[in-house]
Amino acid sequence: MSFDTSNGTRGARQPARNRFERWANLRMAERIRRKGDRRGTKLALVTIGHRTGLERVTPVRWFPAGGGARYIVASANGAAQNPAWYYNIAANPDRVRIEFAGKHLDVVAEQLHGAERAAAWAQITATARGFAKYERLTDREIPVIVLRSRPLGRHAASSNGR
């Protein structure tokens, strides 16, 4: 379960760099947490900051991975750097929660590598062609992460998500 993707040397602008974009992301995450999204393709990813230890919330798109698991992609819109939430997950892969439409689910995150990643990436880019564009913009391999329900008894939160 290694989170070992290094930053690249070229890519698009990192999203949410200014105050307005951060504010808009936070509002979107709060809406997803309460009501979900219209298409049911986004979730609020709740992580623990790798430096601060504080809870962080980020809206992300997800893709079905089978068996109730979900794929998420650390694309950062094709930026040269991995998104901050990638490092939060890397530091605490067993302290991740997803929230959507009033539901809370404790999950364990695992980065995919090799053939497993290739198969997931093919599925993701077939569903959402924009992700293939991100791959062309940067020279880093875009991490694909699978989120699986956390087994009971491992940092499990109560049914209300806390």
Side-chain angles (χ1 to χ4, degrees), residues 42-64:
K42 293 188 177 118
L43 56 84
L45 180 69
V46 183
T47 60
I48 304 298
H50 71 282
R51 282 187 240 162
T52 64
L54 300 174
E55 198 171 86
R56 302 291 184 200
V57 181
T58 307
V60 296
R61 181 152 182 197
W62 68 274
F63 302 88

Side-chain angles (χ1 to χ4, degrees), residues 72-154:
I72 58 173
V73 181
S75 65
N77 291 344
Q81 292 84 26
N82 292 310
W85 62 258
Y86 172 81
Y87 298 105
N88 295 344
I89 288 178
N92 298 292
D94 61 341
R95 294 183 65 197
V96 178
R97 187 173 70 243
I98 58 175
E99 299 181 6
F100 52 94
K103 298 176 183 155
H104 308 267
L105 181 62
D106 293 316
V107 296
V108 175
E110 178 184 351
Q111 183 173 338
L112 301 180
H113 296 88
E116 229 182 346
R117 183 209 175 269
W121 186 250
Q123 175 192 331
I124 290 164
T125 56
T127 304
R129 296 176 201 263
F131 282 87
K133 176 187 170 196
Y134 299 152
E135 186 175 45
R136 290 189 302 271
L137 292 173
T138 186
D139 57 350
R140 69 182 168 93
E141 181 176 80
I142 295 176
V144 176
I145 297 156
V146 63
L147 304 174
R148 293 186 178 93
S149 294
R150 186 178 311 147
L152 293 177
R154 292 186 58 202

Side-chain angles (χ1 to χ4, degrees), residues 2-25:
S2 64
F3 288 82
D4 55 4
T5 301
S6 58
N7 289 324
T9 59
R10 67 174 171 78
R13 185 180 72 83
Q14 183 83 15
R17 286 287 191 162
N18 66 48
R19 183 179 293 167
F20 175 75
E21 288 172 330
R22 285 191 299 268
W23 175 83
N25 265 351

Side-chain angles (χ1 to χ4, degrees), residues 25-44:
N25 265 351
L26 188 59
R27 289 206 28 114
M28 181 189 297
E30 289 303 319
R31 178 176 166 71
I32 291 167
R33 286 171 113 171
R34 284 191 327 274
K35 298 181 180 183
D37 72 313
R38 289 184 187 118
R39 289 185 237 147
T41 59
K42 293 188 177 118
L43 56 84

